[in-house]
Amino acid sequence: MNVELCRAWMVRFAELIDADAGRLTALDAAIGDGDHGVNMQRGMRAAVAALDESPPETPGRVLIATGRALVAKTGGAAGPLYGTAFRRAGKALADTESASAAELGAALVAMLGGIQELGQAAVGDKTMVDALTPAVSAFEAAAGDGLGAAVEAAARAAAEGTAGTVPLQARKGRASYLGERSIGHEDPGAASTALLLRALAEVTAAS
Amino acid sequence: MNVELCRAWMVRFAELIDADAGRLTALDAAIGDGDHGVNMQRGMRAAVAALDESPPETPGRVLIATGRALVAKTGGAAGPLYGTAFRRAGKALADTESASAAELGAALVAMLGGIQELGQAAVGDKTMVDALTPAVSAFEAAAGDGLGAAVEAAARAAAEGTAGTVPLQARKGRASYLGERSIGHEDPGAASTALLLRALAEVTAAS
Amino acid sequence: MKKLINAPADVVAEALVGMAAAHPELAVDHENRVISRAGGPTPGKVGVVSGGGSGHEPLHGGFVGYGMLDAAAPGEVFTSPVPDQILAATSAANGGAGVLHLVKNYTGDVLNFRMAAELAEDDDIEVATVVINDDVAVEDSTYTAGRRGVGATVFAEKIAGAAAEQGTDLASVARVASDVNDRTRSFGVALTPCTVPTAGQPGFELGADEVELGIGIHGEPGRTRGKLAPARELVAHALDAIHADMPLSGNVVVMLNGMGATPLVELYVAYSELASWLDGHGVTVARSLVGNYITSLDMAGFSVTVGMFPEELLELWDAPVQTPALRWGR
Amino acid sequence: MKKLINAPADVVAEALVGMAAAHPELAVDHENRVISRAGGPTPGKVGVVSGGGSGHEPLHGGFVGYGMLDAAAPGEVFTSPVPDQILAATSAANGGAGVLHLVKNYTGDVLNFRMAAELAEDDDIEVATVVINDDVAVEDSTYTAGRRGVGATVFAEKIAGAAAEQGTDLASVARVASDVNDRTRSFGVALTPCTVPTAGQPGFELGADEVELGIGIHGEPGRTRGKLAPARELVAHALDAIHADMPLSGNVVVMLNGMGATPLVELYVAYSELASWLDGHGVTVARSLVGNYITSLDMAGFSVTVGMFPEELLELWDAPVQTPALRWGR
Ligand SMILES: Nc1ncnc2c1ncn2[C@@H]1O[C@H](COP(=O)(O)OP(=O)(O)O)[C@@H](O)[C@H]1O
Ligand SMILES: Nc1ncnc2c1ncn2[C@@H]1O[C@H](COP(=O)(O)OP(=O)(O)O)[C@@H](O)[C@H]1O
Ligand SMILES: [Mg+2]
Ligand SMILES: [Mg+2]
Ligand SMILES: [Mg+2]
Ligand SMILES: [Mg+2]
């Protein structure tokens, strides 16, 4: 993955968030406070604007700049979580000009690590972790077959992981306040994470 | 009209108010503040309680006691207006043991006078005056044919007068704040006045 | 009807129990329904009394205390108090220097206070009455019961209360109160109707995109129905109506009042529009209030009150006040 | 959605313009979205900062002023502020003696304040953080994000603010704040949902005869849904939940808080029930607040907050405070 592809990934993620903001907010209204779509929209628009303003030279720098913008503009729980995730992923890529499938896999692992370190959520807590964890495993399992296969597998796994949050009772984030009433709803953060991996698969296939 | 009949009149008026409180409040909600039924209920219940507590000896005293209770318990515009009206009517009857049709007619005139002196409303202002004025005229016109005929004529005239308030634009009371929007609604005070004369006709017929 | 109450008929009585419990500095006479200062009347001071229907809280009971009212007589919801009750409030406020009745201009309030004043005279209590009528939505003519008394009541209670606290005599306190009334105008807008507990349903129906313009404080419909518009336009509508009746200039005291169910964050948005309208018209805000001061139960909406006050009135405005709903300087 | 606003996305920014216009004693940094005291930080005094999503007004901006907060950082509606913004508030509050962050326990608030504290340390501003978590509706376990911070925030801001005003050092002010938090419990009840402006529709549906029990302050549904009941029962439900978690006795400070759309007359009815419940349990009300202090936009409902405070904390409670929403003693 070179800098253009990485930048395209972020732009596509922002587009998918814009397109699905209403759905994300509705999911958050059901078990949270009804702002996840608006938050992610505000954050990713700021991120894309930052990338336009001073285009980074490496994929790693693209992710770090995105993370900074998310921390600075998103707010809520998602801001620090996604922000840290992108910055960690960016740092993992160091200054490679073009990341191999293996390097991108390591970046996704760092992304997950950042989210878990900050949020202390485990698989099954009904958070974005339930989308990202299976995505990372699927990516690594398929990494041998090349980037295209890996990102497609990751996107599918993230979508399945998101669907898998529906029967769960939340143990982290606002949804946990609802106790058993959180069961039966899809987690909004998992849903936005699924969009992140969908965006990655789309831009990779198109490249 | 002797003291029993006069007392029966007040009791019947209280009953009719109870029965129609919802309608009176609804009328007031449309062009006022939605409390006329409750106000009259509170006032007339207090009046009947007062009459039970220390039964007056003359019809005049019955009306004065009723007026006092209305002033003391009703509140709103209707309290002072009806209260003064009953006290004036009672005073007009002086200490007659039994009032003739003519004497009762004079009492109704005094009642109307009290309301107009206090409220300064003229016929056509969309108030209780629009029910009481025609009632008084009808009563006096029919007084020659005896009490029964007079009260029946007065009750019918009050009802017609009340219906006649519908097309009027209010110039007094809260309804006047609505300007032209007060047109098309029946005036709640006129409606309660119609009940007062209906009660008079009923108890007279039954006696 | 969804309300945080026990029984519709008990709302006023139980709210008075709550006020007494929450405010030991107030004395509540539950039998007569009078709220007064716990210390009793101040000897030699003019007493200031107001009252009217309940449902406008904090008005009037929340304004009883040092520098404002001596006593308040709360009637049933939207129903003026009765003469005996107003008399009891007058006695509770009588420090021997006479008592001022501040009466909002509604037929019921005017008639009941007039009867109470007569009763007070019988008890040798000198009473002066000032009728408040500041609502520009109602034109004052023989075709109406006259202008309603709304927001200016808060200004008159504060300023007349301060004058009385300073030992001013009855006639002068009354003069100050009517001066405040003469220099103040208000206009109200409803986004939703309100529900009188004993009525059980809203006073009127309002579409999702409609507002009532020129409302009073008793849940009655306004003079006209309008379309829901941005706060900027609704505030301008209110200020234009006030400005047309009393051209605004110089220093003003303004109140952006919530009708009861409108959250503070919205009132501040509206206040930002009020401030910029006044600024655009060369009017300077000397003092301001933003919040719920004279309400209509659970109605959503707002009212704007503007007073064009000279320095003397501003000084009285700034004087210390210590009541449940308005407090500064002590 | 019927709101007194211009555009949903502009609510917070425009409300800040309104606050700045209404309160000259406050300084509003519109770019960073920080509300602070107009005078700037008090040299040598510990700065007290709080913040969180908007929609809870008067919390937090309405509590900035002498004796309470030095600065507040309001985020978007129900969305915690961002680190840079909290850093700006921290700098605006820094008088050189360190800054206390009062943080309501929500993942977003905790994470953003933590990042801001790290940034502040980089600027050599000493920061102490106290997380408020008083909501007994959420059991504090590994199965939840922990108890929400609700009404105790108001108590902690008032009391820690008073301690800081008296020149207490950072560690001690922080100790006072966590002491307040440890001794305070809250429980909330919703009669209606609220509508986030940018969402455009209510957060949940509630039948005409239903209430949500154990709500927070972000329009989320409560722990359970119940039937609409008399105020007596709803207040008892809240107090029973608090009493079960922290057995009440002795002197308490209580707050009967409105969620935003519940009229004051209803809050007083509820307060009468609260007072009699406490009386019946041998608990004495030392101080009380009745009104809208920590709200959820246009939600109808209430919350009860009870603090079991020793004399030292009561003295700090009584200390002078001068803010838009809480004022006494000066
Ligand atoms: N501790 C946590 N660890 C991981 N993800 C979390 C955690 N807490 C919340 N989230 C994620 O954040 C999402 C909510 O984000 P958002 O609505 O933007 O923030 P807020 O909850 O502050 O309003 C949840 O759906 C969940 O996926
Ligand atoms: N000036 C007046 N003269 C005569 N009747 C009046 C006057 N003002 C009001 N009314 C009557 O009083 C009625 C309203 O009574 P009520 O609702 O009990 O008092 P309020 O208007 O104070 O709520 C009106 O319908 C009208 O008939
Ligand atoms: Mg959210
Ligand atoms: Mg009425
Ligand atoms: Mg009335
Ligand atoms: Mg949020």
Side-chain angles (χ1 to χ4, degrees), chain B residues 28 33 35-36 39 75-78 81 115 119-121 126-129 172-174 187-190, chain C residues 78-80 107-108:
Chain B
D28 195 34
D33 59 353
D35 62 1
H36 187 56
N39 291 349
L81 290 165
I115 290 172
Q120 300 295 321
K126 197 177 183 114
T127 71
M128 48 179 69
V129 168
K172 285 278 182 286
R174 292 181 188 289
D187 176 66
Chain C
F78 293 171
T79 303
S80 59
T107 307

PDB file of all heavy atoms in Angstrom, chain B residues 28 33 35-36 39 75-78 81 115 119-121 126-129 172-174 187-190, chain C residues 78-80 107-108, ligand 2:
ATOM      1  N   ASP B  28     -63.966  26.914  27.833  1.00  0.00           N
ATOM      2  CA  ASP B  28     -63.009  27.907  28.307  1.00  0.00           C
ATOM      3  C   ASP B  28     -61.613  27.648  27.748  1.00  0.00           C
ATOM      4  O   ASP B  28     -60.851  28.577  27.498  1.00  0.00           O
ATOM      5  CB  ASP B  28     -62.987  27.899  29.844  1.00  0.00           C
ATOM      6  CG  ASP B  28     -62.297  29.131  30.419  1.00  0.00           C
ATOM      7  OD1 ASP B  28     -62.404  30.224  29.819  1.00  0.00           O
ATOM      8  OD2 ASP B  28     -61.650  28.998  31.468  1.00  0.00           O
ATOM      9  N   ASP B  33     -58.831  30.044  29.455  1.00  0.00           N
ATOM     10  CA  ASP B  33     -57.720  29.327  30.065  1.00  0.00           C
ATOM     11  C   ASP B  33     -58.119  27.985  30.664  1.00  0.00           C
ATOM     12  O   ASP B  33     -57.412  27.436  31.508  1.00  0.00           O
ATOM     13  CB  ASP B  33     -57.047  30.198  31.133  1.00  0.00           C
ATOM     14  CG  ASP B  33     -58.037  30.600  32.214  1.00  0.00           C
ATOM     15  OD1 ASP B  33     -59.244  30.320  32.050  1.00  0.00           O
ATOM     16  OD2 ASP B  33     -57.602  31.188  33.217  1.00  0.00           O
ATOM     17  N   ASP B  35     -60.505  26.746  32.757  1.00  0.00           N
ATOM     18  CA  ASP B  35     -60.785  26.457  34.163  1.00  0.00           C
ATOM     19  C   ASP B  35     -62.217  26.798  34.605  1.00  0.00           C
ATOM     20  O   ASP B  35     -62.553  26.603  35.776  1.00  0.00           O
ATOM     21  CB  ASP B  35     -59.783  27.185  35.072  1.00  0.00           C
ATOM     22  CG  ASP B  35     -59.868  28.703  34.936  1.00  0.00           C
ATOM     23  OD1 ASP B  35     -60.711  29.192  34.155  1.00  0.00           O
ATOM     24  OD2 ASP B  35     -59.081  29.396  35.602  1.00  0.00           O
ATOM     25  N   HIS B  36     -63.050  27.275  33.707  1.00  0.00           N
ATOM     26  CA  HIS B  36     -64.362  27.745  34.152  1.00  0.00           C
ATOM     27  C   HIS B  36     -65.197  26.652  34.821  1.00  0.00           C
ATOM     28  O   HIS B  36     -65.818  26.883  35.855  1.00  0.00           O
ATOM     29  CB  HIS B  36     -65.153  28.356  32.985  1.00  0.00           C
ATOM     30  CG  HIS B  36     -66.437  29.006  33.428  1.00  0.00           C
ATOM     31  ND1 HIS B  36     -66.474  29.998  34.383  1.00  0.00           N
ATOM     32  CD2 HIS B  36     -67.731  28.772  33.076  1.00  0.00           C
ATOM     33  CE1 HIS B  36     -67.736  30.363  34.579  1.00  0.00           C
ATOM     34  NE2 HIS B  36     -68.519  29.634  33.812  1.00  0.00           N
ATOM     35  N   ASN B  39     -63.726  25.959  38.186  1.00  0.00           N
ATOM     36  CA  ASN B  39     -63.977  27.103  39.076  1.00  0.00           C
ATOM     37  C   ASN B  39     -65.403  27.081  39.615  1.00  0.00           C
ATOM     38  O   ASN B  39     -65.628  27.207  40.818  1.00  0.00           O
ATOM     39  CB  ASN B  39     -63.761  28.422  38.326  1.00  0.00           C
ATOM     40  CG  ASN B  39     -62.304  28.658  37.988  1.00  0.00           C
ATOM     41  OD1 ASN B  39     -61.420  27.955  38.467  1.00  0.00           O
ATOM     42  ND2 ASN B  39     -62.055  29.645  37.140  1.00  0.00           N
ATOM     43  N   GLY B  75     -62.710  32.192  42.751  1.00  0.00           N
ATOM     44  CA  GLY B  75     -61.564  32.786  42.082  1.00  0.00           C
ATOM     45  C   GLY B  75     -61.889  33.094  40.637  1.00  0.00           C
ATOM     46  O   GLY B  75     -63.042  32.944  40.201  1.00  0.00           O
ATOM     47  N   GLY B  76     -60.875  33.524  39.891  1.00  0.00           N
ATOM     48  CA  GLY B  76     -61.098  33.866  38.507  1.00  0.00           C
ATOM     49  C   GLY B  76     -62.040  35.037  38.357  1.00  0.00           C
ATOM     50  O   GLY B  76     -62.365  35.719  39.333  1.00  0.00           O
ATOM     51  N   ALA B  77     -62.494  35.260  37.132  1.00  0.00           N
ATOM     52  CA  ALA B  77     -63.438  36.353  36.900  1.00  0.00           C
ATOM     53  C   ALA B  77     -64.825  35.959  37.382  1.00  0.00           C
ATOM     54  O   ALA B  77     -65.572  36.767  37.922  1.00  0.00           O
ATOM     55  CB  ALA B  77     -63.481  36.693  35.408  1.00  0.00           C
ATOM     56  N   ALA B  78     -65.146  34.686  37.199  1.00  0.00           N
ATOM     57  CA  ALA B  78     -66.497  34.234  37.526  1.00  0.00           C
ATOM     58  C   ALA B  78     -66.820  34.379  39.009  1.00  0.00           C
ATOM     59  O   ALA B  78     -67.961  34.640  39.376  1.00  0.00           O
ATOM     60  CB  ALA B  78     -66.690  32.791  37.085  1.00  0.00           C
ATOM     61  N   LEU B  81     -67.852  37.958  39.893  1.00  0.00           N
ATOM     62  CA  LEU B  81     -69.033  38.322  39.097  1.00  0.00           C
ATOM     63  C   LEU B  81     -70.273  37.592  39.592  1.00  0.00           C
ATOM     64  O   LEU B  81     -71.280  38.216  39.940  1.00  0.00           O
ATOM     65  CB  LEU B  81     -68.772  38.013  37.625  1.00  0.00           C
ATOM     66  CG  LEU B  81     -67.735  38.929  36.958  1.00  0.00           C
ATOM     67  CD1 LEU B  81     -67.267  38.339  35.638  1.00  0.00           C
ATOM     68  CD2 LEU B  81     -68.307  40.331  36.771  1.00  0.00           C
ATOM     69  N   ILE B 115     -73.454  42.327  37.962  1.00  0.00           N
ATOM     70  CA  ILE B 115     -72.455  41.822  37.011  1.00  0.00           C
ATOM     71  C   ILE B 115     -71.943  42.940  36.110  1.00  0.00           C
ATOM     72  O   ILE B 115     -70.738  43.108  35.900  1.00  0.00           O
ATOM     73  CB  ILE B 115     -73.051  40.670  36.162  1.00  0.00           C
ATOM     74  CG1 ILE B 115     -73.253  39.434  37.035  1.00  0.00           C
ATOM     75  CG2 ILE B 115     -72.157  40.360  34.968  1.00  0.00           C
ATOM     76  CD1 ILE B 115     -74.001  38.310  36.356  1.00  0.00           C
ATOM     77  N   GLY B 119     -68.251  44.255  35.994  1.00  0.00           N
ATOM     78  CA  GLY B 119     -67.509  43.834  34.812  1.00  0.00           C
ATOM     79  C   GLY B 119     -67.568  44.772  33.630  1.00  0.00           C
ATOM     80  O   GLY B 119     -66.836  44.606  32.658  1.00  0.00           O
ATOM     81  N   GLN B 120     -68.473  45.747  33.703  1.00  0.00           N
ATOM     82  CA  GLN B 120     -68.566  46.734  32.619  1.00  0.00           C
ATOM     83  C   GLN B 120     -68.840  46.121  31.247  1.00  0.00           C
ATOM     84  O   GLN B 120     -68.479  46.700  30.229  1.00  0.00           O
ATOM     85  CB  GLN B 120     -67.271  47.567  32.526  1.00  0.00           C
ATOM     86  CG  GLN B 120     -66.956  48.327  33.794  1.00  0.00           C
ATOM     87  CD  GLN B 120     -68.005  49.398  34.091  1.00  0.00           C
ATOM     88  OE1 GLN B 120     -68.485  50.057  33.179  1.00  0.00           O
ATOM     89  NE2 GLN B 120     -68.426  49.499  35.345  1.00  0.00           N
ATOM     90  N   ALA B 121     -69.441  44.936  31.227  1.00  0.00           N
ATOM     91  CA  ALA B 121     -69.702  44.321  29.933  1.00  0.00           C
ATOM     92  C   ALA B 121     -71.090  44.702  29.438  1.00  0.00           C
ATOM     93  O   ALA B 121     -72.034  44.815  30.220  1.00  0.00           O
ATOM     94  CB  ALA B 121     -69.587  42.808  30.027  1.00  0.00           C
ATOM     95  N   LYS B 126     -69.850  39.149  24.391  1.00  0.00           N
ATOM     96  CA  LYS B 126     -69.569  37.719  24.494  1.00  0.00           C
ATOM     97  C   LYS B 126     -69.217  37.333  25.930  1.00  0.00           C
ATOM     98  O   LYS B 126     -68.129  36.814  26.213  1.00  0.00           O
ATOM     99  CB  LYS B 126     -68.429  37.327  23.540  1.00  0.00           C
ATOM    100  CG  LYS B 126     -68.332  35.825  23.252  1.00  0.00           C
ATOM    101  CD  LYS B 126     -67.231  35.528  22.246  1.00  0.00           C
ATOM    102  CE  LYS B 126     -67.184  34.047  21.916  1.00  0.00           C
ATOM    103  NZ  LYS B 126     -67.545  33.772  20.507  1.00  0.00           N
ATOM    104  N   THR B 127     -70.146  37.614  26.833  1.00  0.00           N
ATOM    105  CA  THR B 127     -69.960  37.214  28.229  1.00  0.00           C
ATOM    106  C   THR B 127     -71.274  36.661  28.773  1.00  0.00           C
ATOM    107  O   THR B 127     -72.281  36.590  28.065  1.00  0.00           O
ATOM    108  CB  THR B 127     -69.572  38.418  29.123  1.00  0.00           C
ATOM    109  OG1 THR B 127     -70.734  39.264  29.259  1.00  0.00           O
ATOM    110  CG2 THR B 127     -68.426  39.215  28.530  1.00  0.00           C
ATOM    111  N   MET B 128     -71.266  36.348  30.066  1.00  0.00           N
ATOM    112  CA  MET B 128     -72.474  35.869  30.732  1.00  0.00           C
ATOM    113  C   MET B 128     -73.620  36.867  30.595  1.00  0.00           C
ATOM    114  O   MET B 128     -74.791  36.497  30.661  1.00  0.00           O
ATOM    115  CB  MET B 128     -72.192  35.578  32.206  1.00  0.00           C
ATOM    116  CG  MET B 128     -71.463  36.671  32.945  1.00  0.00           C
ATOM    117  SD  MET B 128     -71.177  36.269  34.697  1.00  0.00           S
ATOM    118  CE  MET B 128     -69.985  34.954  34.582  1.00  0.00           C
ATOM    119  N   VAL B 129     -73.273  38.135  30.366  1.00  0.00           N
ATOM    120  CA  VAL B 129     -74.299  39.173  30.191  1.00  0.00           C
ATOM    121  C   VAL B 129     -75.192  38.852  28.990  1.00  0.00           C
ATOM    122  O   VAL B 129     -76.394  39.145  28.992  1.00  0.00           O
ATOM    123  CB  VAL B 129     -73.631  40.556  30.020  1.00  0.00           C
ATOM    124  CG1 VAL B 129     -74.642  41.601  29.557  1.00  0.00           C
ATOM    125  CG2 VAL B 129     -72.977  40.984  31.324  1.00  0.00           C
ATOM    126  N   LYS B 172     -64.631  41.392  26.233  1.00  0.00           N
ATOM    127  CA  LYS B 172     -64.345  41.393  27.664  1.00  0.00           C
ATOM    128  C   LYS B 172     -63.782  40.022  28.038  1.00  0.00           C
ATOM    129  O   LYS B 172     -64.008  39.034  27.335  1.00  0.00           O
ATOM    130  CB  LYS B 172     -65.616  41.668  28.469  1.00  0.00           C
ATOM    131  CG  LYS B 172     -66.066  43.131  28.432  1.00  0.00           C
ATOM    132  CD  LYS B 172     -65.292  43.962  29.448  1.00  0.00           C
ATOM    133  CE  LYS B 172     -65.739  45.407  29.492  1.00  0.00           C
ATOM    134  NZ  LYS B 172     -65.257  46.166  28.316  1.00  0.00           N
ATOM    135  N   GLY B 173     -63.059  39.993  29.170  1.00  0.00           N
ATOM    136  CA  GLY B 173     -62.520  38.715  29.621  1.00  0.00           C
ATOM    137  C   GLY B 173     -61.387  38.221  28.741  1.00  0.00           C
ATOM    138  O   GLY B 173     -60.984  38.883  27.780  1.00  0.00           O
ATOM    139  N   ARG B 174     -60.874  37.052  29.107  1.00  0.00           N
ATOM    140  CA  ARG B 174     -59.728  36.493  28.392  1.00  0.00           C
ATOM    141  C   ARG B 174     -59.971  36.314  26.913  1.00  0.00           C
ATOM    142  O   ARG B 174     -59.052  36.443  26.104  1.00  0.00           O
ATOM    143  CB  ARG B 174     -59.414  35.102  28.926  1.00  0.00           C
ATOM    144  CG  ARG B 174     -58.910  35.123  30.295  1.00  0.00           C
ATOM    145  CD  ARG B 174     -58.593  33.694  30.728  1.00  0.00           C
ATOM    146  NE  ARG B 174     -58.295  33.747  32.133  1.00  0.00           N
ATOM    147  CZ  ARG B 174     -57.196  34.291  32.594  1.00  0.00           C
ATOM    148  NH1 ARG B 174     -56.306  34.805  31.749  1.00  0.00           N
ATOM    149  NH2 ARG B 174     -56.987  34.343  33.884  1.00  0.00           N
ATOM    150  N   ASP B 187     -69.431  31.154  24.599  1.00  0.00           N
ATOM    151  CA  ASP B 187     -68.812  31.700  25.793  1.00  0.00           C
ATOM    152  C   ASP B 187     -69.123  30.843  27.018  1.00  0.00           C
ATOM    153  O   ASP B 187     -70.288  30.585  27.328  1.00  0.00           O
ATOM    154  CB  ASP B 187     -69.300  33.123  26.051  1.00  0.00           C
ATOM    155  CG  ASP B 187     -68.732  33.674  27.336  1.00  0.00           C
ATOM    156  OD1 ASP B 187     -67.504  33.858  27.392  1.00  0.00           O
ATOM    157  OD2 ASP B 187     -69.507  33.847  28.297  1.00  0.00           O
ATOM    158  N   PRO B 188     -68.095  30.383  27.734  1.00  0.00           N
ATOM    159  CA  PRO B 188     -68.336  29.492  28.878  1.00  0.00           C
ATOM    160  C   PRO B 188     -69.167  30.122  29.991  1.00  0.00           C
ATOM    161  O   PRO B 188     -70.030  29.454  30.577  1.00  0.00           O
ATOM    162  CB  PRO B 188     -66.925  29.154  29.374  1.00  0.00           C
ATOM    163  CG  PRO B 188     -66.015  30.147  28.743  1.00  0.00           C
ATOM    164  CD  PRO B 188     -66.664  30.585  27.484  1.00  0.00           C
ATOM    165  N   GLY B 189     -68.951  31.407  30.272  1.00  0.00           N
ATOM    166  CA  GLY B 189     -69.726  32.061  31.336  1.00  0.00           C
ATOM    167  C   GLY B 189     -71.193  32.168  30.973  1.00  0.00           C
ATOM    168  O   GLY B 189     -72.083  32.016  31.823  1.00  0.00           O
ATOM    169  N   ALA B 190     -71.460  32.418  29.703  1.00  0.00           N
ATOM    170  CA  ALA B 190     -72.854  32.457  29.259  1.00  0.00           C
ATOM    171  C   ALA B 190     -73.458  31.057  29.437  1.00  0.00           C
ATOM    172  O   ALA B 190     -74.593  30.908  29.901  1.00  0.00           O
ATOM    173  CB  ALA B 190     -72.932  32.886  27.796  1.00  0.00           C
TER     174      ALA B 190
ATOM    175  N   PHE C  78     -53.859  28.887  36.961  1.00  0.00           N
ATOM    176  CA  PHE C  78     -54.437  29.856  36.021  1.00  0.00           C
ATOM    177  C   PHE C  78     -55.713  30.521  36.540  1.00  0.00           C
ATOM    178  O   PHE C  78     -56.488  31.081  35.751  1.00  0.00           O
ATOM    179  CB  PHE C  78     -54.704  29.220  34.654  1.00  0.00           C
ATOM    180  CG  PHE C  78     -53.460  28.818  33.914  1.00  0.00           C
ATOM    181  CD1 PHE C  78     -53.548  28.060  32.756  1.00  0.00           C
ATOM    182  CD2 PHE C  78     -52.189  29.184  34.363  1.00  0.00           C
ATOM    183  CE1 PHE C  78     -52.408  27.680  32.058  1.00  0.00           C
ATOM    184  CE2 PHE C  78     -51.052  28.814  33.683  1.00  0.00           C
ATOM    185  CZ  PHE C  78     -51.157  28.061  32.521  1.00  0.00           C
ATOM    186  N   THR C  79     -55.953  30.437  37.838  1.00  0.00           N
ATOM    187  CA  THR C  79     -57.155  31.049  38.410  1.00  0.00           C
ATOM    188  C   THR C  79     -56.758  32.048  39.479  1.00  0.00           C
ATOM    189  O   THR C  79     -56.030  31.700  40.408  1.00  0.00           O
ATOM    190  CB  THR C  79     -58.054  29.963  39.031  1.00  0.00           C
ATOM    191  OG1 THR C  79     -58.377  29.008  38.028  1.00  0.00           O
ATOM    192  CG2 THR C  79     -59.332  30.572  39.575  1.00  0.00           C
ATOM    193  N   SER C  80     -57.223  33.281  39.358  1.00  0.00           N
ATOM    194  CA  SER C  80     -56.787  34.290  40.312  1.00  0.00           C
ATOM    195  C   SER C  80     -57.181  33.893  41.729  1.00  0.00           C
ATOM    196  O   SER C  80     -58.134  33.149  41.926  1.00  0.00           O
ATOM    197  CB  SER C  80     -57.403  35.638  39.945  1.00  0.00           C
ATOM    198  OG  SER C  80     -58.802  35.513  39.971  1.00  0.00           O
ATOM    199  N   THR C 107     -59.135  40.214  34.154  1.00  0.00           N
ATOM    200  CA  THR C 107     -60.400  40.530  34.819  1.00  0.00           C
ATOM    201  C   THR C 107     -60.484  39.887  36.195  1.00  0.00           C
ATOM    202  O   THR C 107     -60.803  40.548  37.184  1.00  0.00           O
ATOM    203  CB  THR C 107     -61.569  40.060  33.950  1.00  0.00           C
ATOM    204  OG1 THR C 107     -61.403  40.619  32.646  1.00  0.00           O
ATOM    205  CG2 THR C 107     -62.893  40.520  34.526  1.00  0.00           C
ATOM    206  N   GLY C 108     -60.162  38.595  36.254  1.00  0.00           N
ATOM    207  CA  GLY C 108     -60.273  37.898  37.530  1.00  0.00           C
ATOM    208  C   GLY C 108     -59.328  38.461  38.583  1.00  0.00           C
ATOM    209  O   GLY C 108     -59.723  38.693  39.726  1.00  0.00           O
TER     210      GLY C 108
HETATM  211  N1  LIG E   2     -65.963  41.839  32.304  1.00  0.00           N
HETATM  212  C1  LIG E   2     -66.795  40.800  32.313  1.00  0.00           C
HETATM  213  N2  LIG E   2     -68.128  40.945  32.446  1.00  0.00           N
HETATM  214  C2  LIG E   2     -68.944  39.887  32.482  1.00  0.00           C
HETATM  215  N3  LIG E   2     -68.542  38.622  32.381  1.00  0.00           N
HETATM  216  C3  LIG E   2     -67.233  38.400  32.236  1.00  0.00           C
HETATM  217  C4  LIG E   2     -66.300  39.451  32.186  1.00  0.00           C
HETATM  218  N4  LIG E   2     -65.071  38.905  32.031  1.00  0.00           N
HETATM  219  C5  LIG E   2     -65.231  37.560  31.986  1.00  0.00           C
HETATM  220  N5  LIG E   2     -66.531  37.269  32.108  1.00  0.00           N
HETATM  221  C6  LIG E   2     -67.131  35.926  32.097  1.00  0.00           C
HETATM  222  O1  LIG E   2     -66.309  35.047  32.846  1.00  0.00           O
HETATM  223  C7  LIG E   2     -66.112  33.861  32.092  1.00  0.00           C
HETATM  224  C8  LIG E   2     -64.781  33.233  32.437  1.00  0.00           C
HETATM  225  O2  LIG E   2     -64.831  32.800  33.769  1.00  0.00           O
HETATM  226  P1  LIG E   2     -63.625  31.965  34.385  1.00  0.00           P
HETATM  227  O3  LIG E   2     -63.008  31.116  33.306  1.00  0.00           O
HETATM  228  O4  LIG E   2     -64.091  31.239  35.589  1.00  0.00           O
HETATM  229  O5  LIG E   2     -62.588  33.088  34.859  1.00  0.00           O
HETATM  230  P2  LIG E   2     -61.147  33.396  34.196  1.00  0.00           P
HETATM  231  O6  LIG E   2     -61.424  34.031  32.859  1.00  0.00           O
HETATM  232  O7  LIG E   2     -60.504  34.322  35.159  1.00  0.00           O
HETATM  233  O8  LIG E   2     -60.437  32.086  34.054  1.00  0.00           O
HETATM  234  C9  LIG E   2     -66.223  34.275  30.650  1.00  0.00           C
HETATM  235  O9  LIG E   2     -66.666  33.184  29.845  1.00  0.00           O
HETATM  236  C10 LIG E   2     -67.231  35.397  30.677  1.00  0.00           C
HETATM  237  O10 LIG E   2     -68.555  34.919  30.480  1.00  0.00           O
END
